[in-house]
Protein backbone atom coordinates (compact mmCIF):
# COMPACT_ATOMS: atom_id res chain seq x y z
CA UNK A 1 0.00 0.00 0.00
CA UNK A 2 2.71 2.47 1.02
CA UNK A 3 4.83 1.64 -2.07
CA UNK A 4 1.82 2.17 -4.33
CA UNK A 5 1.12 5.54 -2.73
CA UNK A 6 4.75 6.64 -3.14
CA UNK A 7 4.75 5.52 -6.80
CA UNK A 8 1.54 7.42 -7.44
CA UNK A 9 2.97 10.58 -5.88
CA UNK A 10 6.22 10.26 -7.86
CA UNK A 11 4.30 9.67 -11.09
CA UNK A 12 2.23 12.78 -10.38
CA UNK A 13 5.35 14.85 -9.76
CA UNK A 14 6.83 13.61 -13.06
CA UNK A 15 3.70 14.56 -14.99
CA UNK A 16 3.65 18.03 -13.45
CA UNK A 17 7.36 18.48 -14.18
CA UNK A 18 6.90 17.55 -17.84
CA UNK A 19 3.85 19.78 -18.14
CA UNK A 20 5.68 22.75 -16.65
CA UNK A 21 8.91 22.35 -18.67
CA UNK A 22 7.79 24.67 -21.51
CA UNK A 23 6.55 27.20 -18.94
CA UNK A 24 9.96 27.18 -17.26
CA UNK A 25 11.57 28.16 -20.57
CA UNK A 26 9.14 31.05 -20.94
CA UNK A 27 10.10 32.46 -17.55
CA UNK A 28 13.84 32.32 -18.21
CA UNK A 29 15.85 35.48 -18.47
CA UNK A 30 16.47 36.27 -22.16
CA UNK A 31 20.27 36.07 -21.84
CA UNK A 32 20.04 32.66 -20.14
CA UNK A 33 17.69 31.39 -22.86
CA UNK A 34 20.09 32.54 -25.59
CA UNK A 35 23.08 30.97 -23.82
CA UNK A 36 21.30 27.63 -23.37
CA UNK A 37 20.01 27.44 -26.94
CA UNK A 38 23.49 28.28 -28.24
CA UNK A 39 24.91 25.43 -26.13
CA UNK A 40 22.30 23.12 -27.62
CA UNK A 41 23.09 24.25 -31.16
CA UNK A 42 26.80 23.61 -30.55
CA UNK A 43 25.90 20.16 -29.24
CA UNK A 44 23.93 19.55 -32.43
CA UNK A 45 26.89 20.69 -34.51
CA UNK A 46 29.22 18.29 -32.67
CA UNK A 47 26.70 15.51 -33.26
CA UNK A 48 27.38 15.75 -36.97
CA UNK A 49 30.87 14.26 -36.40
CA UNK A 50 29.87 10.57 -36.13
CA UNK A 51 27.17 11.02 -38.79
CA UNK A 52 29.53 12.59 -41.34
CA UNK A 53 32.18 9.95 -40.59
CA UNK A 54 29.71 7.23 -41.65
CA UNK A 55 28.60 9.21 -44.70
CA UNK A 56 32.22 9.68 -45.84
CA UNK A 57 33.06 6.01 -45.27
CA UNK A 58 35.52 6.88 -42.50
CA UNK A 59 33.50 4.88 -39.98
CA UNK A 60 30.91 2.13 -39.95
CA UNK A 61 29.78 2.86 -36.39
CA UNK A 62 26.08 3.28 -37.01
CA UNK A 63 25.39 3.00 -33.27
CA UNK A 64 27.39 6.16 -32.61
CA UNK A 65 25.84 7.88 -35.62
CA UNK A 66 22.34 6.90 -34.48
CA UNK A 67 23.01 8.16 -30.98
CA UNK A 68 24.30 11.42 -32.44
CA UNK A 69 21.18 11.78 -34.58
CA UNK A 70 18.94 11.25 -31.55
CA UNK A 71 20.98 13.82 -29.62
CA UNK A 72 20.29 16.27 -32.44
CA UNK A 73 16.57 15.58 -32.24
CA UNK A 74 16.43 16.00 -28.47
CA UNK A 75 18.63 19.11 -28.51
CA UNK A 76 16.49 20.78 -31.16
CA UNK A 77 13.30 19.92 -29.27
CA UNK A 78 14.71 21.67 -26.18
CA UNK A 79 16.17 24.58 -28.16
CA UNK A 80 12.77 25.32 -29.71
CA UNK A 81 11.39 26.07 -26.24
CA UNK A 82 14.11 28.68 -25.72
CA UNK A 83 13.17 30.98 -28.59
CA UNK A 84 11.31 33.38 -26.35
CA UNK A 85 10.30 36.96 -27.09
CA UNK A 86 13.05 39.45 -26.37
CA UNK A 87 15.94 37.23 -27.53
CA UNK A 88 16.62 38.49 -31.04
CA UNK A 89 19.96 39.75 -32.29
CA UNK A 90 20.16 43.30 -31.00
CA UNK A 91 18.10 42.54 -27.90
CA UNK A 92 20.53 40.09 -26.30
CA UNK A 93 24.28 40.26 -26.79
CA UNK A 94 25.46 37.29 -28.80
CA UNK A 95 22.04 36.31 -30.12
CA UNK A 96 21.82 35.65 -33.85
CA UNK A 97 18.06 35.06 -33.88
CA UNK A 98 16.19 37.16 -36.43
CA UNK A 99 12.83 38.75 -35.70
CA UNK A 100 11.38 36.51 -38.44
CA UNK A 101 11.31 33.72 -35.85
CA UNK A 102 8.37 35.50 -34.24
CA UNK A 103 6.85 37.21 -37.28
CA UNK A 104 6.85 33.86 -39.15
CA UNK A 105 6.43 31.68 -36.08
CA UNK A 106 4.45 28.93 -37.83
CA UNK A 107 7.13 28.54 -40.48
CA UNK A 108 9.86 28.58 -37.84
CA UNK A 109 8.07 25.94 -35.76
CA UNK A 110 7.58 23.81 -38.87
CA UNK A 111 11.29 24.09 -39.69
CA UNK A 112 12.20 23.06 -36.15
CA UNK A 113 9.77 20.15 -36.22
CA UNK A 114 11.19 19.04 -39.55
CA UNK A 115 14.69 18.87 -38.08
CA UNK A 116 13.45 17.11 -34.93
CA UNK A 117 11.65 14.48 -36.99
CA UNK A 118 14.35 14.05 -39.65
CA UNK A 119 17.08 13.49 -37.06
CA UNK A 120 14.88 11.03 -35.12
CA UNK A 121 14.20 9.15 -38.37
CA UNK A 122 17.93 9.06 -39.09
CA UNK A 123 18.50 7.57 -35.63
CA UNK A 124 15.91 4.89 -36.45
CA UNK A 125 17.56 4.16 -39.81
CA UNK A 126 20.89 3.61 -38.05
CA UNK A 127 19.35 0.73 -36.09
CA UNK A 128 19.06 -1.34 -39.27
CA UNK A 129 22.85 -1.44 -39.67
CA UNK A 130 22.72 -0.62 -43.38
CA UNK A 131 25.05 2.23 -44.34
CA UNK A 132 23.36 2.76 -47.71
CA UNK A 133 19.95 3.07 -46.02
CA UNK A 134 21.51 5.48 -43.51
CA UNK A 135 22.84 7.64 -46.34
CA UNK A 136 19.38 7.86 -47.91
CA UNK A 137 17.83 8.69 -44.52
CA UNK A 138 20.34 11.52 -44.09
CA UNK A 139 18.97 13.52 -47.04
CA UNK A 140 15.86 14.83 -45.21
CA UNK A 141 18.06 15.92 -42.30
CA UNK A 142 20.39 17.79 -44.63
CA UNK A 143 17.38 19.52 -46.17
CA UNK A 144 15.91 20.30 -42.74
CA UNK A 145 19.02 22.23 -41.72
CA UNK A 146 18.27 24.64 -44.56
CA UNK A 147 14.92 25.41 -42.96
CA UNK A 148 16.63 27.95 -40.71
CA UNK A 149 19.94 28.70 -42.37
CA UNK A 150 21.23 28.05 -45.84
CA UNK A 151 24.78 26.77 -46.14
CA UNK A 152 27.18 26.90 -43.23
CA UNK A 153 25.55 28.20 -40.05
CA UNK A 154 28.07 31.05 -39.85
CA UNK A 155 26.47 32.47 -43.02
CA UNK A 156 23.12 33.06 -41.36
CA UNK A 157 19.88 32.42 -43.21
CA UNK A 158 16.17 32.98 -42.97
CA UNK A 159 16.00 32.86 -39.16
CA UNK A 160 19.62 33.53 -38.23
CA UNK A 161 21.98 36.48 -38.75
CA UNK A 162 25.49 35.89 -40.11
CA UNK A 163 28.29 35.35 -37.60
CA UNK A 164 30.32 38.44 -36.80
Amino acid sequence: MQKTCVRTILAGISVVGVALAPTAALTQEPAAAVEKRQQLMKEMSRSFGPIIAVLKGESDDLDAAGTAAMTMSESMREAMTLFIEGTTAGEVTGSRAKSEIWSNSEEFKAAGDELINASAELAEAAKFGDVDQFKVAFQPLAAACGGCHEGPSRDGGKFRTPAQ
Side-chain angles (χ1 to χ4, degrees):
M1 169 74 173
Q2 187 175 14
K3 284 184 181 181
T4 302
C5 185
V6 169
R7 285 185 192 142
T8 302
I9 291 169
L10 290 175
I13 290 169
S14 293
V15 169
V16 170
V18 169
L20 293 178
T23 306
L26 294 175
T27 61
Q28 274 196 347
E29 288 293 320
V34 169
E35 182 179 345
K36 179 63 178 172
R37 73 182 185 223
Q38 287 177 345
Q39 288 172 355
L40 290 164
M41 294 294 177
K42 287 176 185 173
E43 186 174 322
M44 289 172 54
S45 181
R46 285 188 299 271
S47 293
F48 269 110
I51 294 169
I52 298 301
V54 169
L55 296 174
K56 287 183 172 182
E58 297 169 357
S59 171
D60 61 356
D61 191 350
L62 286 171
D63 288 337
T67 298
M70 189 50 70
T71 296
M72 292 179 78
S73 182
E74 293 165 355
S75 294
M76 188 61 175
R77 184 176 311 281
E78 184 177 353
M80 291 299 289
T81 69
L82 298 168
F83 284 94
I84 58 175
E85 295 270 354
T87 61
T88 62
E91 292 179 301
V92 176
T93 302
S95 176
R96 294 176 55 201
K98 288 184 174 180
S99 61
E100 285 83 348
I101 289 171
W102 294 274
S103 63
N104 297 332
S105 61
E106 287 182 22
E107 185 179 349
F108 178 71
K109 183 180 179 335
D113 288 346
E114 187 176 339
L115 192 137
I116 290 165
N117 295 331
S119 53
E121 289 170 12
L122 183 63
E124 281 299 310
K127 292 178 182 178
F128 291 101
D130 183 335
V131 172
D132 290 330
Q133 183 179 355
F134 183 81
K135 288 179 179 181
V136 169
F138 176 75
Q139 297 310 311
L141 176 58
C145 291
C148 290
H149 51 84
E150 299 83 30
S153 63
R154 70 181 170 275
D155 293 345
K158 183 168 198 150
F159 296 111
R160 187 176 191 183
T161 62
Q164 300 298 339

